[in-house]
Amino acid sequence: MSGEGESNTQTNTQPLTGTSSNSINSSKRTDVAWKHCTPVRENDTNEIICNYCRKVMKGGIIREKQHLIGKAGNVTACLLAPEAVKVEIRAVMDGKKQKLKDTRKGPMDLYTQPQSTAAKNRKDKVVKRA
């Protein structure tokens, strides 16, 4: 009898998906958060159901990720999501933010980037002619 109670507490932290979860992980949906939520309608990724608490949200996968990690502000936190899921999604979100920050260029970056050797040679030739 005690073995049954233990299995029930373990299933509470597992996603509440059925056999349709394989169709969710299509090639169009590559974000890791899609393992933890389901779109309400098959071709509409704006309205999503959390697989843990079954909360229906509008706003797409970004709001679902905020819901899963418990980010304050736009959504309520999911109280049933396992800590491992929160850590995984938070790491992915932080990695994307850092990657965007690294690739973003300001207006002065155009002038401070090193020139190629071909550009230097052209500049030298123009200077020599003058």
Side-chain angles (χ1 to χ4, degrees):
M1 294 281 173
S2 65
E4 291 176 11
E6 290 173 10
S7 65
N8 286 341
T9 55
Q10 289 176 352
T11 57
N12 288 342
T13 60
Q14 297 299 318
L16 299 172
T17 58
T19 57
S20 64
S21 65
N22 291 337
S23 64
I24 296 166
N25 296 326
S26 68
S27 61
K28 293 179 183 178
R29 300 183 188 123
T30 58
D31 200 297
V32 296
W34 283 112
K35 297 186 293 187
H36 310 287
C37 60
T38 308
V40 173
R41 287 176 288 288
E42 190 171 327
N43 293 326
D44 182 15
T45 58
N46 188 44
E47 195 170 3
I48 298 172
I49 300 173
C50 176
N51 290 346
Y52 299 103
C53 67
R54 305 305 282 173
K55 180 176 175 65
V56 177
M57 290 173 285
K58 291 187 178 184
I61 196 67
I62 293 176
R63 283 187 65 136
E64 175 63 23
K65 288 191 275 190
Q66 292 172 348
H67 167 72
L68 288 169
I69 67 170
K71 182 176 180 183
N74 293 329
V75 294
T76 58
C78 181
L79 302 176
L80 299 176
E83 190 62 31
V85 170
K86 294 177 184 182
V87 169
E88 175 190 17
I89 292 176
R90 191 173 288 123
V92 169
M93 290 177 75
D94 290 344
K96 285 183 180 180
K97 191 183 297 184
Q98 184 62 38
K99 186 175 181 181
L100 179 65
K101 191 175 182 181
D102 291 344
T103 59
R104 196 175 284 164
K105 295 181 180 177
M108 294 305 294
D109 290 341
L110 297 173
Y111 301 106
T112 60
Q113 292 188 4
Q115 292 181 339
S116 67
T117 55
K120 287 180 184 177
N121 290 338
R122 283 192 304 270
K123 187 176 180 182
D124 291 341
K125 288 180 182 178
V126 172
V127 172
K128 290 178 183 177
R129 290 181 190 167

